[in-house]
Amino acid sequence: MKSLEELWELVTEVLREGLSEVIYNVWLKDLTPISFENGAVTLAICEFKRKIVEQKFSSILNDAFEKVLGFPVEIILVEPEGTADESREAVVSDRLQNKENTFETFVVGSSNKFAHAAALAVAANPGGAYNPLFIYGRSGLGKTHLLGAIAHEIKKNNPDLNIILTHGEEFTNELVYYIAQKNMTDFHNKYRSADVLLMDDVQFIAGRERTQEEFFHTFNTLTQAGNQVVLTSDKPPKDILPLEERLRTRFEWGLIADIQPPDIETRMAIIKRKAQMLDLELPDDVVQYIADKLKSNIRQLEGAVKKIKAVVAIHGSTPNMVTVQNTIKDILSEDVPSSVTIEKVIDEVARTYGADPEDIRSKKRDAQTSRMRQMAMYVVSETTSLSTKAIGAEFGGRDHSTVVYALQEIRRLMEKDSSLRATVNDIIKNVSEQN
């Protein structure tokens, strides 16, 4: 192991694999390694979170270190130097300075270019473009990255602005903390004095009466003053339940932008960009393999590249196909059997066009049926790891060249027709949610 930083990088990968994104981001992301001496690892975190981490995550941290090192260690949690308020400000500063979450490192594709353009507009003109900006999409598609990129860009151009980057769960936990301290004035002063408020996973305030009440007044105070609000969620405002109507309508005041799962070209570009950032050279066949196996989650793609980098560094191996297959096999999600997914794809395509699912599997060659069949093949390709040969076999024993043509044709049409692209992405989203 070259350094404490490299050890911590590997440990965080283990933690992220075993915990939900929300739990990791709220409670463990801000841990900072201080030292590793005499079998004890010292980690710093603000007092606000230290007690919870000690109570609920000590064994998880121990297990993660033991998995990486091969032997158990003692975990010591300390508060960073300075006051509690200074520590909390330092956490915010670290988030704003995150070099990974910038516009320069965000890979733009057809699935996210609208949200990317909206985020750029807000970053260039906070409070004057879209207010609020509401970005939604499934976990792992880049919402948090865009939120961080907005914060980074605004801070770079307007260093004196008060920018707060937080999380729906964290907003609730801070509210509970300040209520217990009988110090709501400081809570109000913190959030209602923000020039820019960026909240990730705002859906976590739904169903929490006091939290919604506080956020309602915070939102009103900021937007009435012309200050920027940017929110992300895993679903659009109308689908967040139970969310108060007065908040839902306010979330819909500005611009709503969605992010869909990336197509294969975008996935390959993301893999190459991450590998370049890590100074890792991956052969094209390896890039293609990873992109084919990990289809719907950008975080998994980046995590796979990080893990490959770690394996190469530790074992001195080369990132060939065998090494990569062994490295990412435990990252691969446990997919629903392909046959089940194919049935759902066919049913969803047929439902979208008001057709009979049996027509898609049939030998019928009229224009509409052929186009639906091509779309179904494309969606199957995007939602399973089946080869073109296997897909052809599932669609009446068609030759793999027919499938290749279908995929190319749908991609070509999606580039030209935004409505078709939206329809295909909706089908992919619906099928993925059913799984």
Side-chain angles (χ1 to χ4, degrees), residues 32 39 41 56 129 215 221 278 295 315 345-346:
T32 303
V41 177
K56 297 187 175 182
F215 191 72
T221 299
L278 295 175
K295 296 176 180 291
H315 299 294
V345 169
I346 292 174

Side-chain angles (χ1 to χ4, degrees), residues 187-293:
F187 182 82
H188 294 154
N189 289 342
K190 173 181 178 178
Y191 282 101
R192 298 181 192 183
S193 65
D195 295 304
V196 180
L197 174 62
L198 307 116
M199 181 176 287
D200 205 9
D201 286 325
V202 71
Q203 75 270 12
F204 282 97
I205 73 171
R208 295 170 172 177
E209 185 176 346
R210 182 66 185 271
T211 303
Q212 291 184 96
E213 176 77 19
E214 288 295 335
F215 191 72
F216 172 79
H217 293 298
T218 297
F219 183 97
N220 281 350
T221 299
L222 296 181
T223 54
Q224 287 170 10
N227 298 338
Q228 181 68 52
V229 176
V230 182
L231 309 170
T232 75
S233 173
D234 62 351
K235 53 180 71 71
K238 65 182 178 63
D239 293 337
I240 300 176
L241 300 173
L243 183 69
E244 291 182 0
E245 180 67 14
R246 58 180 179 170
L247 280 176
R248 184 189 64 77
T249 57
R250 280 162 175 76
F251 292 173
E252 294 174 341
W253 273 357
L255 181 69
I256 299 176
D258 71 323
I259 300 180
Q260 296 290 340
D263 56 30
I264 189 166
E265 292 84 3
T266 304
R267 297 198 298 273
M268 292 177 69
I270 290 168
I271 295 166
K272 289 182 177 180
R273 171 66 66 85
K274 191 65 180 180
Q276 183 180 34
M277 291 173 62
L278 295 175
D279 195 26
L280 176 67
E281 188 172 344
L282 293 177
D284 288 343
D285 62 334
V286 166
V287 173
Q288 175 87 42
Y289 174 79
I290 299 171
D292 280 340
K293 292 297 183 182

Side-chain angles (χ1 to χ4, degrees), residues 3-29:
S3 68
L4 177 60
E5 288 72 23
E6 289 181 344
L7 169 61
W8 182 240
E9 177 77 12
L10 294 175
V11 170
T12 57
E13 288 302 315
V14 174
L15 291 171
R16 295 183 74 136
E17 289 173 11
L19 296 169
S20 72
E21 176 193 358
V22 172
I23 293 296
Y24 174 80
N25 285 341
V26 171
W27 296 111
L28 302 181
K29 185 176 182 180

Side-chain angles (χ1 to χ4, degrees), residues 314-368:
I314 293 171
H315 299 294
S317 56
T318 57
N320 56 35
M321 186 64 75
V322 174
T323 300
V324 170
Q325 287 174 338
N326 290 332
T327 301
I328 73 168
K329 62 184 178 182
D330 58 339
I331 298 177
L332 298 177
S333 58
E334 296 296 327
D335 291 332
V336 174
S338 297
S339 59
V340 176
T341 300
I342 291 170
E343 290 294 338
K344 290 179 178 178
V345 169
I346 292 174
D347 287 346
E348 186 64 24
V349 172
R351 185 194 66 78
T352 300
Y353 288 94
D356 186 340
E358 290 305 313
D359 288 346
I360 296 176
R361 283 192 182 275
S362 73
K363 300 292 185 180
K364 293 177 67 173
R365 295 185 179 182
D366 61 277
Q368 181 177 349

